[in-house]
PDB file of all heavy atoms in Angstrom:
ATOM      1  N   GLY K 911     103.549 129.039 -14.786  1.00 93.00           N
ATOM      2  CA  GLY K 911     102.985 130.077 -14.193  1.00 93.00           C
ATOM      3  C   GLY K 911     104.054 131.018 -13.589  1.00 93.00           C
ATOM      4  O   GLY K 911     103.934 132.279 -13.673  1.00 93.00           O
ATOM      5  N   LEU K 912     105.043 130.290 -13.051  1.00 95.00           N
ATOM      6  CA  LEU K 912     106.181 131.147 -12.408  1.00 95.00           C
ATOM      7  C   LEU K 912     106.973 131.872 -13.584  1.00 95.00           C
ATOM      8  O   LEU K 912     107.322 133.031 -13.331  1.00 95.00           O
ATOM      9  CB  LEU K 912     107.142 130.251 -11.623  1.00 95.00           C
ATOM     10  CG  LEU K 912     108.321 130.818 -11.056  1.00 95.00           C
ATOM     11  CD1 LEU K 912     107.925 131.887 -10.049  1.00 95.00           C
ATOM     12  CD2 LEU K 912     109.238 129.726 -10.277  1.00 95.00           C
ATOM     13  N   ILE K 913     107.283 131.171 -14.658  1.00 95.00           N
ATOM     14  CA  ILE K 913     108.095 131.843 -15.726  1.00 95.00           C
ATOM     15  C   ILE K 913     107.321 132.949 -16.331  1.00 95.00           C
ATOM     16  O   ILE K 913     107.819 134.180 -16.540  1.00 95.00           O
ATOM     17  CB  ILE K 913     108.454 130.779 -16.728  1.00 95.00           C
ATOM     18  CG1 ILE K 913     109.280 129.759 -16.213  1.00 95.00           C
ATOM     19  CG2 ILE K 913     109.078 131.526 -17.945  1.00 95.00           C
ATOM     20  CD1 ILE K 913     109.739 128.595 -17.103  1.00 95.00           C
ATOM     21  N   ALA K 914     106.036 132.840 -16.597  1.00 94.00           N
ATOM     22  CA  ALA K 914     105.170 133.767 -17.159  1.00 94.00           C
ATOM     23  C   ALA K 914     105.026 135.019 -16.230  1.00 94.00           C
ATOM     24  O   ALA K 914     105.017 136.168 -16.622  1.00 94.00           O
ATOM     25  CB  ALA K 914     103.754 133.161 -17.573  1.00 94.00           C
ATOM     26  N   THR K 915     104.991 134.701 -14.913  1.00 94.00           N
ATOM     27  CA  THR K 915     104.891 135.810 -14.000  1.00 94.00           C
ATOM     28  C   THR K 915     106.191 136.620 -13.951  1.00 94.00           C
ATOM     29  O   THR K 915     106.108 137.774 -13.818  1.00 94.00           O
ATOM     30  CB  THR K 915     104.430 135.301 -12.632  1.00 94.00           C
ATOM     31  OG1 THR K 915     103.187 134.595 -12.580  1.00 94.00           O
ATOM     32  CG2 THR K 915     104.422 136.402 -11.519  1.00 94.00           C
ATOM     33  N   LEU K 916     107.267 135.909 -13.949  1.00 94.00           N
ATOM     34  CA  LEU K 916     108.533 136.655 -13.956  1.00 94.00           C
ATOM     35  C   LEU K 916     108.761 137.446 -15.140  1.00 94.00           C
ATOM     36  O   LEU K 916     109.209 138.606 -15.038  1.00 94.00           O
ATOM     37  CB  LEU K 916     109.742 135.587 -13.830  1.00 94.00           C
ATOM     38  CG  LEU K 916     109.972 134.858 -12.502  1.00 94.00           C
ATOM     39  CD1 LEU K 916     110.951 133.827 -12.684  1.00 94.00           C
ATOM     40  CD2 LEU K 916     110.282 135.890 -11.409  1.00 94.00           C
ATOM     41  N   LEU K 917     108.352 137.007 -16.290  1.00 94.00           N
ATOM     42  CA  LEU K 917     108.342 137.777 -17.537  1.00 94.00           C
ATOM     43  C   LEU K 917     107.465 138.955 -17.343  1.00 94.00           C
ATOM     44  O   LEU K 917     107.769 140.134 -17.778  1.00 94.00           O
ATOM     45  CB  LEU K 917     107.935 136.909 -18.765  1.00 94.00           C
ATOM     46  CG  LEU K 917     109.033 135.887 -19.133  1.00 94.00           C
ATOM     47  CD1 LEU K 917     108.420 135.071 -20.321  1.00 94.00           C
ATOM     48  CD2 LEU K 917     110.385 136.498 -19.498  1.00 94.00           C
ATOM     49  N   SER K 918     106.290 138.777 -16.840  1.00 94.00           N
ATOM     50  CA  SER K 918     105.240 139.851 -16.688  1.00 94.00           C
ATOM     51  C   SER K 918     105.869 140.901 -15.702  1.00 94.00           C
ATOM     52  O   SER K 918     105.784 142.187 -16.046  1.00 94.00           O
ATOM     53  CB  SER K 918     103.887 139.327 -16.129  1.00 94.00           C
ATOM     54  OG  SER K 918     103.396 138.417 -17.075  1.00 94.00           O
ATOM     55  N   VAL K 919     106.498 140.462 -14.620  1.00 93.00           N
ATOM     56  CA  VAL K 919     106.963 141.467 -13.684  1.00 93.00           C
ATOM     57  C   VAL K 919     108.125 142.195 -14.254  1.00 93.00           C
ATOM     58  O   VAL K 919     108.254 143.490 -14.130  1.00 93.00           O
ATOM     59  CB  VAL K 919     107.401 140.714 -12.385  1.00 93.00           C
ATOM     60  CG1 VAL K 919     108.245 141.744 -11.464  1.00 93.00           C
ATOM     61  CG2 VAL K 919     106.160 140.197 -11.633  1.00 93.00           C
ATOM     62  N   THR K 920     108.964 141.558 -14.936  1.00 91.00           N
ATOM     63  CA  THR K 920     110.149 142.146 -15.535  1.00 91.00           C
ATOM     64  C   THR K 920     109.867 143.174 -16.567  1.00 91.00           C
ATOM     65  O   THR K 920     110.312 144.326 -16.479  1.00 91.00           O
ATOM     66  CB  THR K 920     111.129 141.192 -16.174  1.00 91.00           C
ATOM     67  OG1 THR K 920     111.517 140.188 -15.212  1.00 91.00           O
ATOM     68  CG2 THR K 920     112.401 141.743 -16.738  1.00 91.00           C
ATOM     69  N   PHE K 921     108.971 142.755 -17.540  1.00 93.00           N
ATOM     70  CA  PHE K 921     108.631 143.697 -18.500  1.00 93.00           C
ATOM     71  C   PHE K 921     107.791 144.858 -18.126  1.00 93.00           C
ATOM     72  O   PHE K 921     107.919 146.020 -18.498  1.00 93.00           O
ATOM     73  CB  PHE K 921     108.014 143.115 -19.646  1.00 93.00           C
ATOM     74  CG  PHE K 921     108.941 142.147 -20.583  1.00 93.00           C
ATOM     75  CD1 PHE K 921     109.017 140.872 -20.565  1.00 93.00           C
ATOM     76  CD2 PHE K 921     109.790 142.855 -21.481  1.00 93.00           C
ATOM     77  CE1 PHE K 921     109.886 140.114 -21.385  1.00 93.00           C
ATOM     78  CE2 PHE K 921     110.740 142.159 -22.197  1.00 93.00           C
ATOM     79  CZ  PHE K 921     110.775 140.741 -22.112  1.00 93.00           C
ATOM     80  N   GLY K 922     106.821 144.504 -17.283  1.00 91.00           N
ATOM     81  CA  GLY K 922     105.835 145.526 -16.732  1.00 91.00           C
ATOM     82  C   GLY K 922     106.622 146.615 -15.937  1.00 91.00           C
ATOM     83  O   GLY K 922     106.334 147.886 -16.202  1.00 91.00           O
ATOM     84  N   LEU K 923     107.471 146.190 -15.024  1.00 90.00           N
ATOM     85  CA  LEU K 923     108.252 147.189 -14.120  1.00 90.00           C
ATOM     86  C   LEU K 923     109.197 147.918 -14.978  1.00 90.00           C
ATOM     87  O   LEU K 923     109.347 149.221 -14.753  1.00 90.00           O
ATOM     88  CB  LEU K 923     108.768 146.498 -12.988  1.00 90.00           C
ATOM     89  CG  LEU K 923     107.839 146.077 -11.881  1.00 90.00           C
ATOM     90  CD1 LEU K 923     108.739 145.245 -10.793  1.00 90.00           C
ATOM     91  CD2 LEU K 923     107.204 147.240 -11.172  1.00 90.00           C
ATOM     92  N   LEU K 969     107.785 125.838 -21.704  1.00 86.00           N
ATOM     93  CA  LEU K 969     108.353 126.964 -22.318  1.00 86.00           C
ATOM     94  C   LEU K 969     107.398 127.708 -23.355  1.00 86.00           C
ATOM     95  O   LEU K 969     107.311 129.040 -23.352  1.00 86.00           O
ATOM     96  CB  LEU K 969     109.782 126.697 -22.963  1.00 86.00           C
ATOM     97  CG  LEU K 969     110.836 126.195 -21.970  1.00 86.00           C
ATOM     98  CD1 LEU K 969     112.018 125.836 -22.897  1.00 86.00           C
ATOM     99  CD2 LEU K 969     111.135 127.261 -21.002  1.00 86.00           C
ATOM    100  N   SER K 972     104.653 129.380 -21.434  1.00 89.00           N
ATOM    101  CA  SER K 972     105.187 130.539 -20.685  1.00 89.00           C
ATOM    102  C   SER K 972     105.378 131.735 -21.673  1.00 89.00           C
ATOM    103  O   SER K 972     104.964 132.850 -21.233  1.00 89.00           O
ATOM    104  CB  SER K 972     106.533 130.088 -19.995  1.00 89.00           C
ATOM    105  OG  SER K 972     106.332 129.104 -19.061  1.00 89.00           O
ATOM    106  N   PHE K 973     106.057 131.510 -22.737  1.00 86.00           N
ATOM    107  CA  PHE K 973     106.288 132.707 -23.628  1.00 86.00           C
ATOM    108  C   PHE K 973     105.226 133.154 -24.380  1.00 86.00           C
ATOM    109  O   PHE K 973     105.310 134.166 -25.019  1.00 86.00           O
ATOM    110  CB  PHE K 973     107.434 132.327 -24.511  1.00 86.00           C
ATOM    111  CG  PHE K 973     108.872 132.334 -23.861  1.00 86.00           C
ATOM    112  CD1 PHE K 973     109.414 130.978 -23.496  1.00 86.00           C
ATOM    113  CD2 PHE K 973     109.507 133.404 -23.453  1.00 86.00           C
ATOM    114  CE1 PHE K 973     110.730 130.962 -22.907  1.00 86.00           C
ATOM    115  CE2 PHE K 973     110.731 133.340 -22.774  1.00 86.00           C
ATOM    116  CZ  PHE K 973     111.345 132.111 -22.511  1.00 86.00           C
ATOM    117  N   THR K 974     104.049 132.433 -24.241  1.00 85.00           N
ATOM    118  CA  THR K 974     102.806 132.993 -25.025  1.00 85.00           C
ATOM    119  C   THR K 974     101.802 133.446 -24.018  1.00 85.00           C
ATOM    120  O   THR K 974     100.760 133.964 -24.422  1.00 85.00           O
ATOM    121  CB  THR K 974     102.200 131.931 -25.886  1.00 85.00           C
ATOM    122  OG1 THR K 974     101.971 130.796 -25.114  1.00 85.00           O
ATOM    123  CG2 THR K 974     103.175 131.521 -26.931  1.00 85.00           C
ATOM    124  N   TRP K 976     102.441 135.692 -21.005  1.00 91.00           N
ATOM    125  CA  TRP K 976     102.927 136.580 -20.095  1.00 91.00           C
ATOM    126  C   TRP K 976     102.416 138.029 -20.461  1.00 91.00           C
ATOM    127  O   TRP K 976     102.445 138.900 -19.611  1.00 91.00           O
ATOM    128  CB  TRP K 976     104.382 136.756 -20.102  1.00 91.00           C
ATOM    129  CG  TRP K 976     105.030 137.069 -21.448  1.00 91.00           C
ATOM    130  CD1 TRP K 976     105.287 136.302 -22.509  1.00 91.00           C
ATOM    131  CD2 TRP K 976     105.220 138.416 -21.916  1.00 91.00           C
ATOM    132  NE1 TRP K 976     105.713 137.003 -23.535  1.00 91.00           N
ATOM    133  CE2 TRP K 976     105.686 138.319 -23.268  1.00 91.00           C
ATOM    134  CE3 TRP K 976     105.063 139.684 -21.449  1.00 91.00           C
ATOM    135  CZ2 TRP K 976     105.995 139.492 -24.096  1.00 91.00           C
ATOM    136  CZ3 TRP K 976     105.475 140.786 -22.062  1.00 91.00           C
ATOM    137  CH2 TRP K 976     105.929 140.701 -23.433  1.00 91.00           C
ATOM    138  N   ALA K 977     101.941 138.327 -21.500  1.00 91.00           N
ATOM    139  CA  ALA K 977     101.642 139.673 -22.026  1.00 91.00           C
ATOM    140  C   ALA K 977     100.550 140.243 -21.170  1.00 91.00           C
ATOM    141  O   ALA K 977     100.617 141.520 -20.834  1.00 91.00           O
ATOM    142  CB  ALA K 977     101.285 139.610 -23.477  1.00 91.00           C
ATOM    143  N   ALA K 980     101.782 141.443 -17.966  1.00 92.00           N
ATOM    144  CA  ALA K 980     102.610 142.511 -18.120  1.00 92.00           C
ATOM    145  C   ALA K 980     101.865 143.825 -18.217  1.00 92.00           C
ATOM    146  O   ALA K 980     102.304 144.886 -17.582  1.00 92.00           O
ATOM    147  CB  ALA K 980     103.612 142.228 -19.182  1.00 92.00           C
ATOM    148  N   LEU K 983     100.413 144.806 -14.753  1.00 91.00           N
ATOM    149  CA  LEU K 983     101.485 145.154 -13.793  1.00 91.00           C
ATOM    150  C   LEU K 983     102.079 146.494 -14.134  1.00 91.00           C
ATOM    151  O   LEU K 983     102.494 147.446 -13.397  1.00 91.00           O
ATOM    152  CB  LEU K 983     102.494 144.183 -13.658  1.00 91.00           C
ATOM    153  CG  LEU K 983     102.175 142.794 -13.007  1.00 91.00           C
ATOM    154  CD1 LEU K 983     103.212 141.701 -13.200  1.00 91.00           C
ATOM    155  CD2 LEU K 983     101.766 142.985 -11.592  1.00 91.00           C
TER     156      LEU K 983
END
Side-chain angles (χ1 to χ4, degrees):
L912 180 60
I913 295 175
T915 302
L916 288 175
L917 291 174
S918 299
V919 171
T920 301
F921 284 109
L923 285 178
L969 293 178
S972 302
F973 285 107
T974 57
W976 62 271
L983 292 172

